[in-house]
Amino acid sequence: MKVPSIKNTVQKTLDLFKVDETEIAELLESVRSNLPTTEALLIGKPQAGKSSIVRGLTGVGEEIVGKGFRPHTEHTQRYSYPSEELPLLIFTDTVGLGDVTKNTDEIIVELTTELDIENKRARILILTIKINDFATDSLKTIAENLRKKYSQIPCLLVVTSLHELYPDLNETQHPEYPPSFSEIERAFTEIKDTFQGLFDRAILIDFTLEEDGFNPVFYGLENLRDSLAELLPSAEAKTIHQLLDETVNSELGNLYKDVARRYILAFSIMAATVSAVPLPFATMPVLTALEVTMVGMLGQLYGQTISVSQAGGIISAIAGGFLAKAIGRELIKFIPGFGAVVAASWAGAYTWALGEGACAYFGDIIGGKKPNPDKIKEVMKNAFKNAKQQLNTK
């Protein structure tokens, strides 16, 4: 292909960042309908560790998880990660369990009404119980009703707060997983017996806050990840593993110093997913919609409220020569088989780099400085290189 044609295509791609909000909404709807989204219905009393499970699976902080939950129905709240527009994980949390003023039958009706709605999402029920809580009659009643009507939906029994039964209550170093304390084994066995026939798998976890001093903070996270993957369809299981991959998270710890990078990871996974189609340029508008959404969300995390068109302008300003390379990778899709894999890998790395560049951009703004194009370019270059290395090892 001639150079002028590539330049023209670059300009056309730049123009994609100027699409109106209606076009963006249509593109996002197309992406959303094809994402490997998991909907987890969290059922348990307050303080049973439901929010901790959300923190463990998303990697975001307590404050963001708390603010992220929104009223959904009278007895449920919902949190979508990384965003409402493009969720990879949707958590629905039951509220009011264990409260004598709440009607368990009403909660059951709400949950069954929700589960009766047909959608393409993979669903899983997560029953959450503290290791030392045996007043679980209302929870068992709900589980029995849901199991009877929705036996096809897998159910994971998660027993939490293990440290409350440690022989030494001052101990903050968790033992090798799984714990072998007799107190925990007896309690776990009793809980499993109580809920016999109502779950597909049962696990132990102890997720705490950093300030609590326990090490590790997310004790049993790998087992939770693997249990979810075992119970979910393959596409959703793969997404869970990517979000919690130790190698990637280690790299994130070095490259990205705040919670914004968790969202960058999620959007990078989505970009790689939607780019794996064998049609040249077909994914460019979709990637644009993804990236506009990501930049807008990162702006919010940095305290900046920006419109769709403003997000597109920021991308145009900071992307620089990366767009030409993006198009070059799209052309590789003409090669049967191999091209789509390369393009998907590139799209994930490019989105990662763009997110890091956006963080540098917004960081300068909140610091009262004018964004430095050379600094942002260098940040993107380094982030892209590291992301490509990570993705190419998968």
Side-chain angles (χ1 to χ4, degrees):
M1 183 172 287
K2 297 180 181 180
V3 173
S5 297
I6 294 178
K7 288 183 177 179
N8 290 337
T9 306
V10 171
Q11 185 56 52
K12 289 179 181 179
T13 305
L14 282 169
D15 291 340
L16 289 173
F17 296 125
K18 301 175 183 177
V19 294
D20 63 30
E21 296 197 14
T22 300
E23 290 176 290
I24 287 289
E26 292 174 355
L27 288 167
L28 292 180
E29 177 58 36
S30 174
V31 175
R32 181 168 54 245
S33 64
N34 290 287
L35 283 177
T37 302
T38 297
E39 183 174 3
L41 190 64
L42 301 164
I43 304 173
K45 293 182 183 179
Q47 309 304 315
K50 292 175 291 181
S51 292
S52 295
I53 290 174
V54 177
R55 287 193 303 113
L57 292 177
T58 63
V60 301
E62 178 189 26
E63 181 180 359
I64 291 179
V65 169
K67 291 181 179 179
F69 273 100
R70 297 286 186 271
H72 178 58
T73 64
E74 183 180 355
H75 296 106
T76 64
Q77 295 179 335
R78 177 164 286 178
Y79 171 55
S80 299
Y81 174 82
S83 70
E84 290 283 349
E85 295 86 357
L86 296 168
L88 286 176
L89 296 172
I90 298 176
F91 300 94
T92 300
D93 181 14
T94 52
V95 295
L97 281 174
D99 186 339
V100 295
T101 66
K102 303 292 183 180
N103 190 324
T104 300
D105 291 336
E106 291 180 1
I107 297 177
I108 293 172
V109 169
E110 282 193 11
L111 294 178
T112 55
T113 300
E114 177 73 17
L115 292 173
D116 281 340
I117 299 173
E118 293 292 333
N119 60 52
K120 296 181 180 179
R121 301 168 188 157
R123 285 168 162 168
I124 188 166
L125 304 177
I126 301 180
L127 302 181
T128 309
I129 305 173
K130 292 182 70 172
I131 188 74
N132 56 356
D133 182 7
F134 297 99
T136 56
D137 289 346
S138 60
L139 179 60
K140 183 178 180 181
T141 298
I142 291 174
E144 288 172 338
N145 279 270
L146 295 181
R147 190 67 164 182
K148 182 178 180 180
K149 189 171 183 180
Y150 307 103
S151 58
Q152 78 281 9
I153 299 179
C155 180
L156 180 65
L157 175 62
V158 181
V159 179
T160 68
S161 304
L162 310 183
H163 66 271
E164 295 189 10
L165 289 186
Y166 283 179
D168 182 358
L169 295 180
N170 294 318
E171 179 62 57
T172 57
Q173 178 70 41
H174 291 297
E176 182 179 350
Y177 191 90
S180 58
F181 299 129
S182 59
E183 295 87 349
I184 291 177
E185 291 174 348
R186 284 196 300 268
F188 189 35
T189 298
E190 185 170 346
I191 291 173
K192 288 190 292 184
D193 288 344
T194 299
F195 286 83
Q196 185 175 9
L198 302 180
F199 60 89
D200 296 285
R201 185 163 180 171
I203 63 169
L204 295 165
I205 66 170
D206 197 333
F207 292 0
T208 53
L209 298 174
E210 284 76 2
E211 56 265 31
D212 293 332
F214 284 91
N215 184 36
V217 172
F218 296 116
Y219 180 59
L221 178 59
E222 288 185 9
N223 198 23
L224 174 61
R225 177 200 66 190
D226 294 342
S227 297
L228 289 172
E230 180 181 300
L231 297 174
L232 289 169
S234 59
E236 288 74 12
K238 180 180 178 181
T239 298
I240 293 288
H241 268 273
Q242 287 177 308
L243 288 171
L244 297 177
D245 183 85
E246 289 184 1
T247 303
V248 173
N249 284 341
S250 174
E251 187 64 27
L252 282 172
N254 295 326
L255 287 175
Y256 308 131
K257 302 301 182 182
D258 57 43
V259 71
R261 280 61 182 191
R262 297 290 180 175
Y263 292 99
I264 294 172
L265 173 61
F267 278 98
S268 296
I269 291 171
M270 283 189 272
T273 300
V274 301
S275 294
V277 295
L279 299 175
F281 305 110
T283 58
M284 292 306 296
V286 174
L287 288 177
T288 298
L290 276 170
E291 289 155 4
V292 166
T293 303
M294 178 184 70
V295 170
M297 188 166 206
L298 292 175
Q300 291 179 19
L301 290 174
Y302 280 86
Q304 309 296 308
T305 301
I306 60 176
S307 66
V308 169
S309 59
Q310 288 173 323
I314 291 171
I315 294 172
S316 297
I318 69 177
F322 277 88
L323 285 175
K325 295 181 181 179
I327 292 169
R329 287 302 187 187
E330 286 287 308
L331 290 175
I332 293 177
K333 291 184 180 180
F334 280 120
I335 304 174
F338 176 71
V341 175
V342 174
S345 173
W346 200 99
Y350 170 69
T351 302
W352 195 323
L354 178 62
E356 177 65 7
C359 287
Y361 176 91
F362 291 124
D364 282 344
I365 289 179
I366 64 174
K369 298 182 293 184
K370 182 178 180 180
N372 184 328
D374 291 335
K375 170 189 169 186
I376 293 173
K377 182 179 179 180
E378 188 65 22
V379 165
M380 289 187 66
K381 177 181 177 181
N382 292 333
F384 179 79
K385 179 181 178 181
N386 281 279
K388 278 290 290 180
Q389 290 176 346
Q390 292 297 322
L391 290 170
N392 286 335
T393 62
K394 302 302 173 190

